[in-house]
Amino acid sequence: MPSKMRSMRFISKKGLMLFAVILLTVLNASAQEIIKDTVPAKKSSNKRQKIDGVVATVGDYLILDSDIDKNFIELQSQGNSIKDITRCQMLGMLMEDRLYAHQAVQDSIIVTDSEINSIMDEKISAMLEQTGGTIDKLVKFYKKNSEEEFRTYFFDILRMGKLTSEMRKKIVEKVEVTPEEVRNFFKKIPQAELPTFGEEVEVSQIVINPVVSQEEKQKVIDKLNEFKKDIQEGGSSFFSKAVLYSQDPGSKSNGGYYKMNRKTPFIKEFKDVAFGLDEGQISAPFETPYGYHIIYIEKIRGQEVDLRHILLQPKITEESMRDAKEEITNIRKKILAGEISFADAARSSSDEKETKTNGGALINPRTLDTKFDLTKMDPSLYAQISDLKAGEISAPFEDEDQSGKKMYKIVMVTNKVPEHVADYSKDYLKIKDLALKEKQIKEIAKWTEEKIKETYIKINGEYRNCVFANNWLKK
């Protein structure tokens, strides 16, 4: 769920600088200002001054000299060294980003206004929270005359960034590697250059959720029905209710908004309700493993819906938490006494559906296998297993999920794999991923070469002397 907003009466100079860094950081390298085709002529002056001129054009997009400066600031804000990056190289990166965005428009890739507005609300909320500032100070810092003008500026930046990312996805979406290609990729790596994989662990867990009383459940149901009545009869805003009260961290800051279709990976209970509603309709309160929800259908576009929802979670009493801790403590005692294996205890007693059928085994969401790189593991999980040897079980500990729902857990390290040089049979999935990335890079390079030939591209002034990785000058 979203972090709590901090309110401050002032913003320091350091905070203002942070605005700039955050704005650049929340956008990817492609997120630079989109300039209209008509550029007002500068008034002549006897004084010499640096003009922020157009240095390149790619399709419908212009690149200013200041855009190059912005990208250098972005890289520095992310802790990257820029001493070996030339302005020519940076311009090449910006041109590539604009080529993606331009071609996305040509290919009719749809990026809706509602989608960008939702992203913008979330990004602005994050900037304001991290700097402790206000929207007026953000507008002033970026030298805009109004919040509307700033949002228009920000909208164009986010839209181009979204077009760029969607185009990249489209280029590589059908790229796959066969087992034979993976094998050939591995064979061609010289023995001395084989990658080294860090220490890995396999982990299983048992989760016990505290029992929620019927009384507490009814309280949130009544509250959601109250929200629904206020919106339908009292004219209240669903957006505002979600921002103020929803306990979903993924959507609270943007008014509970989600865009989804039937393939979107939401839980079944949620999708069943969402696709059973008409446009403009608000559901009755319903339960999922995350708590109780109401859904408002904002827009239906064929098989896709724009919706907003509010999530409330029943309160967990201290007594329920004590009972959950006692239950998991007794489970641990039985495992240690040899009365039952950890895997069998998980299958029979764990409240976590995703892992109980696998004997409690956790799946790494990055690799989709059971191994976790210790250097990339979630810090909260690392804290529980870092001192455990293979076969050892942690003491019971309290934890909570992303929605803030509390529970008790025990975890066991089922296997430890020491740091080692890549082995084809043991590390097949990692090697496959490397082979796939190499093939995707080649596909992007091929696509870029083709599109440069058929796209209007112009480079101005001294930048025509640059040596680019891509054939931007069409020589």
Side-chain angles (χ1 to χ4, degrees):
M1 293 295 128
S3 333
K4 295 181 180 177
M5 295 291 289
R6 300 188 300 273
S7 59
M8 296 179 69
R9 295 182 181 178
F10 65 92
I11 179 169
S12 63
K13 183 176 180 182
K14 182 178 180 182
L16 286 172
M17 287 302 297
L18 189 54
F19 269 136
V21 171
I22 292 172
L23 178 57
L24 288 167
T25 303
V26 296
L27 313 171
N28 58 32
S30 68
Q32 305 293 331
E33 184 172 4
I34 300 174
I35 311 298
K36 305 303 181 186
D37 287 341
T38 303
V39 181
K42 300 274 184 181
K43 290 184 178 181
S44 61
S45 171
N46 292 329
K47 294 183 179 180
R48 297 188 66 182
Q49 58 180 325
K50 181 180 179 181
I51 304 295
D52 185 17
V54 175
V55 298
T57 305
V58 179
D60 297 327
Y61 293 94
L62 307 181
I63 302 174
L64 298 180
D65 204 31
S66 62
D67 291 333
I68 298 175
D69 297 323
K70 289 176 185 179
N71 250 42
F72 276 117
I73 293 173
E74 179 184 357
L75 286 177
Q76 283 184 307
S77 74
Q78 295 172 349
N80 297 308
S81 172
I82 61 172
K83 66 178 183 178
D84 295 324
I85 301 176
T86 67
R87 293 186 72 81
C88 288
Q89 289 171 328
M90 190 65 78
L91 175 59
M93 292 184 223
L94 295 180
M95 292 178 71
E96 189 170 338
D97 290 330
R98 279 153 176 74
L99 182 65
Y100 291 133
H102 172 76
Q103 193 59 45
V105 175
Q106 305 307 306
D107 289 0
S108 300
I109 291 178
I110 303 298
V111 174
T112 64
D113 288 357
S114 62
E115 182 179 7
I116 299 303
N117 283 325
S118 176
I119 296 172
M120 180 165 58
D121 289 337
E122 184 177 350
K123 299 299 185 186
I124 289 176
S125 294
M127 286 190 283
L128 295 177
E129 182 179 357
Q130 292 182 48
T131 62
T134 65
I135 188 67
D136 289 340
K137 288 172 181 173
L138 182 58
V139 170
K140 184 178 180 181
F141 182 73
Y142 282 99
K143 299 178 181 179
K144 302 303 176 184
N145 295 319
S146 64
E147 180 180 346
E148 181 180 0
E149 184 180 334
F150 171 74
R151 284 181 176 273
T152 299
Y153 157 78
F154 201 10
F155 181 95
D156 287 342
I157 294 174
L158 289 170
R159 184 174 184 274
M160 195 184 78
K162 185 65 174 176
L163 286 170
T164 297
S165 63
E166 291 301 314
M167 191 67 244
R168 284 174 175 155
K169 290 179 185 176
K170 183 178 179 180
I171 296 169
V172 301
E173 65 183 355
K174 295 182 179 179
V175 177
E176 296 179 346
V177 287
T178 65
E180 183 65 23
E181 287 175 316
V182 177
R183 186 161 41 249
N184 290 335
F185 168 80
F186 185 74
K187 284 181 178 179
K188 75 179 182 182
I189 303 175
Q191 187 69 29
E193 297 177 16
L194 286 172
T196 298
F197 297 124
E199 183 179 5
E200 296 175 314
V201 293
E202 292 180 303
V203 182
S204 294
Q205 68 180 21
I206 295 174
V207 177
I208 298 297
N209 295 326
V211 176
V212 181
S213 69
Q214 194 58 45
E215 180 183 1
E216 294 298 330
K217 290 181 180 180
Q218 192 59 48
K219 284 181 182 179
V220 298
I221 292 172
D222 293 342
K223 192 67 176 175
L224 289 170
N225 277 323
E226 181 184 323
F227 292 162
K228 181 178 179 180
K229 184 177 180 181
D230 288 346
I231 295 164
Q232 292 180 323
E233 300 178 16
S236 294
S237 161
F238 197 104
F239 178 98
S240 298
K241 292 285 188 186
V243 169
L244 291 171
Y245 302 109
S246 182
Q247 293 175 286
D248 175 15
S251 68
K252 172 176 177 144
S253 63
N254 60 3
Y257 176 83
Y258 283 116
K259 180 176 74 172
M260 60 184 288
N261 55 47
R262 293 189 181 276
K263 294 183 179 180
T264 305
F266 277 59
I267 55 175
K268 183 179 184 299
E269 299 94 325
F270 192 94
K271 291 170 73 172
D272 285 347
V273 173
F275 288 104
L277 297 172
D278 294 326
E279 192 170 298
Q281 190 175 2
I282 301 176
S283 73
F286 66 97
E287 185 179 11
T288 74
Y290 298 100
Y292 286 83
H293 313 249
I294 53 172
I295 290 176
Y296 164 61
I297 301 299
E298 195 167 82
K299 188 74 175 176
I300 297 177
R301 296 189 305 275
Q303 298 300 310
E304 193 170 74
V305 299
D306 292 345
L307 62 82
R308 298 187 185 275
H309 88 120
I310 298 172
L311 168 68
L312 294 182
Q313 297 171 326
K315 183 180 178 182
I316 304 296
T317 64
E318 291 185 8
E319 182 181 0
S320 293
M321 288 299 291
R322 285 196 299 270
D323 290 344
K325 184 177 182 180
E326 182 179 349
E327 181 179 351
I328 204 164
T329 299
N330 288 334
I331 292 171
R332 183 175 185 271
K333 287 179 180 178
K334 290 180 180 180
I335 297 171
L336 294 176
E339 296 178 27
I340 189 171
S341 69
F342 192 100
D344 286 341
R347 293 186 185 97
S348 62
S349 303
S350 182
D351 290 328
E352 187 173 62
K353 292 181 180 179
E354 295 83 0
T355 60
K356 69 179 299 178
T357 55
N358 296 326
L362 292 176
I363 301 299
N364 187 333
R366 296 179 181 176
T367 61
L368 300 181
D369 66 5
T370 57
K371 295 185 178 69
F372 290 81
D373 186 331
L374 282 175
T375 63
K376 299 176 183 177
M377 179 176 281
D378 179 87
S380 60
L381 179 58
Y382 177 83
Q384 298 299 329
I385 63 93
S386 59
D387 294 329
L388 296 179
K389 297 177 182 178
E392 289 186 337
I393 303 172
S394 72
F397 62 96
E398 184 180 322
D399 198 7
E400 61 179 49
D401 61 19
Q402 292 182 337
S403 67
K405 184 178 178 182
K406 294 182 178 180
M407 64 198 73
Y408 268 96
K409 291 181 178 180
I410 54 174
V411 295
M412 179 177 74
V413 173
T414 55
N415 186 31
K416 276 197 171 185
V417 181
E419 181 179 304
H420 62 284
V421 175
D423 180 280
Y424 183 77
S425 59
K426 294 178 181 178
D427 302 305
Y428 178 80
L429 291 178
K430 294 185 182 67
I431 296 165
K432 178 182 178 182
D433 186 52
L434 293 174
L436 177 61
K437 286 177 181 176
E438 182 188 63
K439 192 172 181 180
Q440 289 174 338
I441 290 170
K442 290 180 178 178
E443 186 67 23
I444 289 174
K446 178 183 175 183
W447 179 93
T448 301
E449 182 180 358
E450 293 173 354
K451 296 305 175 184
I452 285 175
K453 293 177 182 178
E454 59 189 58
T455 303
Y456 174 74
I457 296 169
K458 182 179 180 182
I459 299 174
N460 301 325
E462 62 187 33
Y463 289 99
R464 291 191 59 81
N465 298 321
C466 288
V467 178
F468 295 109
N470 293 312
N471 187 26
W472 298 112
L473 295 168
K474 300 185 179 182
K475 293 182 178 179

